[in-house]
Amino acid sequence: MIIRAFFLLLLTASHATANGCQGDTACSLGDRSYHVLTPEDWDGQTPLPVLMHFHGWARQGDIVVGHPRIAGATKTRSVLLVAPNGRRKTWDFWTSDTEDVGFANDVLADVAKHYPIDPDRIYVSGYSYGSAMAWRYACDSGNGVAALLAVAGSIRQTETCAQAPREVRHVHGLKDRVMDFPMGPDGDTTHPVALWRAKLGCHDATPQGDWSVVPFLTHSRTVWNDCDAGQVTLDLHPGGHFIPHGWIGWQLDELAGREPSYP
């Protein structure tokens, strides 16, 4: 067992050093950079699902690869975590005329040179401004995003997107005053995913009721699974602007068809 573990470590290290970066050490890409973190117990060969997570405002990718609610979820679920670095520690997600979508595509292309990734399981995520950037990427990248895992941030629901992810999962706090909860007309709390519901041709909402990852935070889930294409899931909680404990890991488990667990 010790010899096997050492061999696996060498295999993983060979990928980690192929482009001279891993974890806190950023990978250079032109005049920009990104971070990458391999999962625990990876054999160095099996193709990996990817979670590309966009950091929040005034942060960088080193925060992402060390964050227990992000990296803590990917490390134990055989998912490769990729965290691009925004210019001036922010993202330009306001319109489709942004270089950040192309940069994120370049990041994924560079990652694919160094790691065996599964192109059918590219998940895109983000928190706050990073969540809005994840929405923008899913809208305009041209890549086939398997799932969008968005936390407390979005673009305008009136945007016209060229494409949509195969699946959308969005979580938002009803008391969020940083990226204000996007309440719809007449107090419609399903409005935060109106864009994707329209794009995917969704019809009737199916309330799933309350659920919790941790006992001190309850989510209320609504699912649209009668869409012409794809599926949309909206989780609401009574709190403010934060990444809910265990939410990202829970979504990755469900996407993989596993019984969800925490952490």
Side-chain angles (χ1 to χ4, degrees):
M1 289 295 292
I2 294 176
I3 293 175
R4 181 177 182 275
F6 180 68
F7 179 62
L8 293 180
L9 180 63
L10 286 177
L11 281 173
T12 302
S14 68
H15 287 283
T17 58
N19 54 348
C21 57
Q22 170 76 202
D24 290 341
T25 302
C27 308
S28 297
L29 186 60
D31 66 343
R32 300 188 66 172
S33 63
Y34 66 91
H35 292 260
V36 64
L37 184 70
T38 52
E40 298 170 354
D41 298 328
W42 179 50
D43 62 10
Q45 296 178 333
T46 302
L48 292 165
V50 173
L51 180 69
M52 182 166 64
H53 185 96
F54 295 95
H55 60 75
W57 180 80
R59 301 290 189 266
Q60 288 281 262
D62 59 336
I63 297 294
V64 173
V65 296
H67 200 296
R69 301 183 199 177
I70 308 169
T74 60
K75 284 192 300 183
T76 59
R77 290 174 172 83
S78 300
V79 175
L80 184 68
L81 179 59
V82 177
N85 288 320
R87 290 196 189 278
R88 298 172 295 281
K89 299 184 178 182
T90 190
W91 300 106
D92 178 11
F93 56 81
W94 303 100
T95 70
S96 58
D97 184 21
T98 169
E99 68 169 13
D100 284 337
V101 168
F103 165 61
N105 276 339
D106 291 343
V107 167
L108 286 179
D110 194 59
V111 169
K113 295 177 183 177
H114 303 289
Y115 297 91
I117 66 174
D118 183 346
D120 293 325
R121 291 187 291 171
I122 303 296
Y123 308 133
V124 177
S125 181
Y127 164 60
S128 191
Y129 264 36
S131 181
M133 185 63 224
W135 272 61
R136 175 59 63 195
Y137 182 84
C139 180
D140 292 314
S141 68
N143 276 344
V145 175
L148 169 65
L149 309 182
V151 183
S154 64
I155 58 177
R156 291 182 297 270
Q157 301 301 318
T158 54
E159 290 269 358
T160 301
C161 288
Q163 62 191 40
R166 296 200 297 274
E167 186 163 345
V168 173
R169 291 170 178 248
H170 184 99
V171 63
H172 218 122
L174 292 167
K175 294 180 182 177
D176 196 330
R177 298 296 180 266
V178 179
M179 298 287 279
D180 288 350
F181 182 83
M183 190 73 73
D186 300 320
D188 177 15
T189 56
T190 67
H191 190 64
V193 289
L195 184 159
W196 299 122
R197 286 159 43 205
K199 183 66 179 177
L200 292 172
C202 300
H203 305 287
D204 296 330
T206 303
Q208 299 285 303
D210 292 345
W211 66 281
S212 297
V213 179
V214 290
F216 50 82
L217 185 68
T218 298
H219 298 81
S220 177
R221 172 167 285 190
T222 303
V223 175
W224 291 263
N225 52 15
D226 62 348
C227 309
D228 297 335
Q231 177 174 304
V232 176
T233 299
L234 175 64
D235 285 324
L236 304 181
H237 62 78
H241 193 68
F242 55 82
I243 302 174
H245 288 75
W247 187 84
I248 290 176
W250 202 269
Q251 311 316 305
L252 292 174
D253 283 338
E254 290 186 334
L255 288 167
R258 295 187 294 261
E259 185 70 25
S261 63
Y262 177 76

